[in-house]
Amino acid sequence: MSGQRQKIQLELAFPESNEGEALQDSGAGTEPLAARTNSNDPVKLVNLIEEVLDQQNLNRAYSQILSNKGARTPGVDGMTVQQLKVYVQKHWPKIEAQLRDGIYRPQPVKRVEIPKPGGGIRKLGIPSALDRLLQQAALQVLQPHFDRTFSEHSYGFRPGRSAHQAVAQAQEYQQERYRWVVDMDLEKFFDRVNHDRLMARIAERIDDKELLKLIRAFLTSGVMENGLVQATEEGTPQGGPLSPLLSNIVLDELDQELERRGHRFVRYADDCNIYVGSRRAAERTLASVTHFVERKLRLKVNRAKSAVDRPWRRKFLGFSFTAHRQPKRRIAPASIERFKQRIRELTRRTRGCTLEDVIGELTRYLRGWLGYFGLCETQSVLRDLESWLHRRLRSLMWKRWKRGTVRFRELRNRGVRHDLAAQSAGSSHSGWRLSRSPALHYALPGKFWRSLGLPTLTIKAT
């Protein structure tokens, strides 16, 4: 988006602002943690509500939520983020007064269920468009103050940090011969956060009654499910911009405890792995940390999913590791199966899409997939997946050609010799079996799919 176009959108949202263009991120909170302070500020932060309601901050928040995919999902009021600017123009003076007086009441979040990659359902809470804006504005003010004091072992939902960095750190611990992992899973973490403990942690750093009231109001706004509003006495629903920061504030207490004990650990949101040198040490660690989490933090450890094991037998953020002395990053088996399932969905014969449409959808999916799993260091796995993908596509083409005469003609047009084309076209074998045949390999090689724009999964195309 050009600067001129962005300026028009933001002015429409907040016409009384004379700032014009959206603020650029100053980079606060994105520099390496070693360059930042590692202790809590002794002086409490005051007058933060003024920073939240600053017009430049609000403009930047609006631009951010507008660019998010979630902007297309309305909350309980049915208002989209695109429609929000008209509402704000009309009602902002009243909204601002309520916020400054500490009496603003957010609307209940809308319950939305999405499937988890590994099975099951994840429940999201989608705020109204206005509440999404206010949460994003509060996040932009709070994140720099809290982030610079978070643990260097925390990687989830933080500026300048990523899942790739977390996986690389886990790999480094294994290279240092810490070859046992305590894989901890918190049961329904986002639904179990204790509001009083969370607000007490925030109040240790913030002395701004209006902002504290606003944060608690977001926590207790309720959830609308099947047309009924349910009170929320605990938890911080996933789906709002502020929820990730609040979760990190809660689990920062766990990080501090693990650091105090001298553990080598990696945490990404509620996914925490602790690396130790022996099974006995790992079992002791799991027991003691479970006690801390459940007694002190008032959260619940999922004992069925938590385990002590070798890292190469567990998965972490979609990856696993080899058992070599210098372990390599590999794609976890569950992630490979999810990849294949998605490819099967996109290449179903009954979808009725053109080949161009199928290739287009596959290309978009593969680029996103490679953007994450391209960190894999076992190229043989990627080559096998690419070979399997091409086989799926050859099978799809064979089934679409349907009749033997069409199959024979297509094979001949692609340079297959007469006798081999006739033998393959007259075969009674399934398309999946024939997709490995010399005729289809010759007629539809890897370079054919790449010529259509399909990306290669390997560094060097083969």
Side-chain angles (χ1 to χ4, degrees):
M1 182 182 292
S2 67
Q4 183 178 2
R5 184 177 177 185
Q6 189 176 35
K7 176 178 178 179
I8 292 173
Q9 288 182 328
L10 298 180
E11 285 181 346
L12 286 174
F14 297 99
E16 64 273 25
S17 172
N18 57 10
E19 294 300 330
E21 295 185 1
L23 286 180
Q24 297 296 319
D25 193 337
S26 64
T30 62
E31 70 274 16
L33 197 85
R36 294 177 254 155
T37 180
N38 58 9
S39 61
N40 290 338
D41 293 342
V43 179
K44 290 190 176 183
L45 302 166
V46 297
N47 295 327
L48 290 187
I49 194 66
E50 297 296 331
E51 296 182 36
V52 172
L53 300 181
D54 177 78
Q55 286 292 289
Q56 293 184 3
N57 185 56
L58 290 167
N59 282 336
R60 189 157 59 100
Y62 180 77
S63 177
Q64 180 62 42
I65 64 173
L66 189 63
S67 66
N68 290 342
K69 294 181 180 180
R72 297 191 293 267
T73 305
V76 296
D77 58 355
M79 183 189 302
T80 65
V81 171
Q82 290 81 355
Q83 297 168 330
L84 175 63
K85 54 190 175 185
V86 177
Y87 180 85
V88 167
Q89 281 181 320
K90 184 177 181 180
H91 300 284
W92 182 248
K94 179 181 177 181
I95 297 169
E96 184 178 19
Q98 291 177 345
L99 290 165
R100 292 186 183 280
D101 292 339
I103 60 173
Y104 177 80
R105 292 294 175 265
Q107 298 188 64
V109 297
K110 179 182 179 181
R111 177 69 77 203
V112 175
E113 296 183 349
I114 62 171
K116 290 183 179 180
I121 296 295
R122 175 176 286 112
K123 293 186 177 182
L124 302 182
I126 307 301
S128 68
L130 176 58
D131 292 335
R132 205 174 309 176
L133 171 69
L134 297 176
Q135 285 195 33
Q136 180 64 34
L139 173 68
Q140 292 170 179
V141 171
L142 294 173
Q143 181 93 49
H145 293 298
F146 280 92
D147 190 83
R148 63 193 179 89
T149 63
F150 285 155
S151 169
E152 63 177 323
H153 304 284
S154 167
Y155 292 87
F157 309 121
R158 296 182 60 189
R161 296 198 150 221
S162 68
H164 284 173
Q165 293 173 335
V167 173
Q169 180 62 74
Q171 182 181 17
E172 183 177 327
Y173 288 143
Q174 295 170 56
Q175 291 171 347
E176 296 171 355
R177 312 305 293 164
Y178 296 95
R179 309 298 290 271
W180 287 90
V181 62
V182 179
D183 187 355
M184 291 196 64
D185 182 87
L186 300 182
E187 185 175 317
K188 298 181 179 179
F189 165 71
F190 287 92
D191 296 330
R192 294 182 182 274
V193 171
N194 184 278
H195 290 173
D196 291 336
R197 282 191 55 80
L198 171 57
M199 292 307 303
R201 293 283 293 177
I202 297 174
E204 290 175 1
R205 302 279 301 280
I206 295 175
D207 188 11
D208 187 316
K209 293 182 180 179
E210 288 72 26
L211 183 55
L212 291 173
K213 287 180 180 179
L214 179 61
I215 295 173
R216 183 175 280 276
F218 283 133
L219 292 173
T220 59
S221 61
V223 176
M224 178 174 284
E225 189 171 10
N226 299 323
L228 299 176
V229 176
Q230 303 174 3
T232 48
E233 298 178 354
E234 62 179 3
T236 170
Q238 292 175 273
L242 198 55
S243 181
L245 175 61
L246 298 181
S247 68
N248 272 333
I249 292 174
V250 171
L251 291 176
D252 185 56
E253 196 169 354
L254 172 61
D255 297 341
Q256 292 180 15
E257 177 66 16
L258 294 178
E259 288 180 347
R260 187 187 66 80
R261 299 183 184 188
H263 284 306
R264 293 160 180 82
F265 69 98
V266 182
R267 184 178 65 79
Y268 192 96
D270 57 337
D271 198 346
C272 183
N273 279 6
I274 307 170
Y275 293 88
V276 296
S278 69
R279 173 184 283 277
R280 180 174 296 181
E283 290 173 345
R284 286 198 307 265
T285 298
L286 177 59
S288 62
V289 174
T290 296
H291 183 271
F292 174 83
V293 168
E294 295 186 341
R295 294 295 181 91
K296 186 70 180 294
L297 302 186
R298 301 182 189 176
L299 298 171
K300 180 71 172 178
V301 173
N302 189 327
R303 287 169 170 77
K305 295 183 178 180
S306 300
V308 166
D309 208 340
R310 294 291 198 177
W312 49 87
R313 290 199 286 261
R314 306 294 294 180
K315 65 180 179 69
F316 181 56
L317 302 177
F319 287 91
S320 187
F321 306 90
T322 65
H324 297 111
R325 186 178 186 87
Q326 294 297 319
K328 294 183 178 181
R329 295 182 296 271
R330 65 183 179 89
I331 305 173
S335 300
I336 292 176
E337 184 53 41
R338 285 197 296 270
F339 170 85
K340 289 187 173 182
Q341 182 58 37
R342 182 56 179 156
I343 297 300
R344 291 186 187 103
E345 293 171 358
L346 293 175
T347 57
R348 284 200 312 268
R349 181 182 57 171
T350 56
R351 294 188 66 211
C353 300
T354 65
L355 179 61
E356 291 75 15
D357 290 338
V358 172
I359 295 298
E361 290 183 345
L362 282 173
T363 297
R364 288 189 291 274
Y365 172 71
L366 291 176
R367 284 175 178 167
W369 189 87
L370 283 170
Y372 187 78
F373 287 105
L375 187 69
C376 167
E377 294 178 323
T378 51
Q379 286 291 305
S380 61
V381 174
L382 295 177
R383 286 195 295 270
D384 289 345
L385 287 177
E386 184 169 65
S387 176
W388 179 85
L389 168 61
H390 290 172
R391 188 181 175 191
R392 284 286 306 182
L393 289 170
R394 289 194 295 268
S395 177
L396 173 66
M397 291 290 286
W398 188 254
K399 292 174 182 177
R400 286 191 171 190
W401 289 341
K402 293 183 179 179
R403 297 190 303 274
T405 54
V406 175
R407 291 170 173 174
F408 176 78
R409 183 179 69 246
E410 292 290 345
L411 291 176
R412 290 291 290 147
N413 288 342
R414 287 168 167 78
V416 179
R417 69 177 190 270
H418 186 280
D419 59 333
L420 185 57
Q423 179 184 359
S424 300
S427 174
S428 61
H429 291 312
S430 68
W432 180 246
R433 179 170 176 176
L434 286 172
S435 64
R436 299 183 63 179
S437 68
L440 282 180
H441 262 288
Y442 187 88
L444 301 170
K447 64 181 181 181
F448 170 75
W449 304 114
R450 291 190 289 274
S451 72
L452 298 179
L454 193 71
T456 179
L457 300 187
T458 54
I459 296 176
K460 182 178 179 180
T462 57

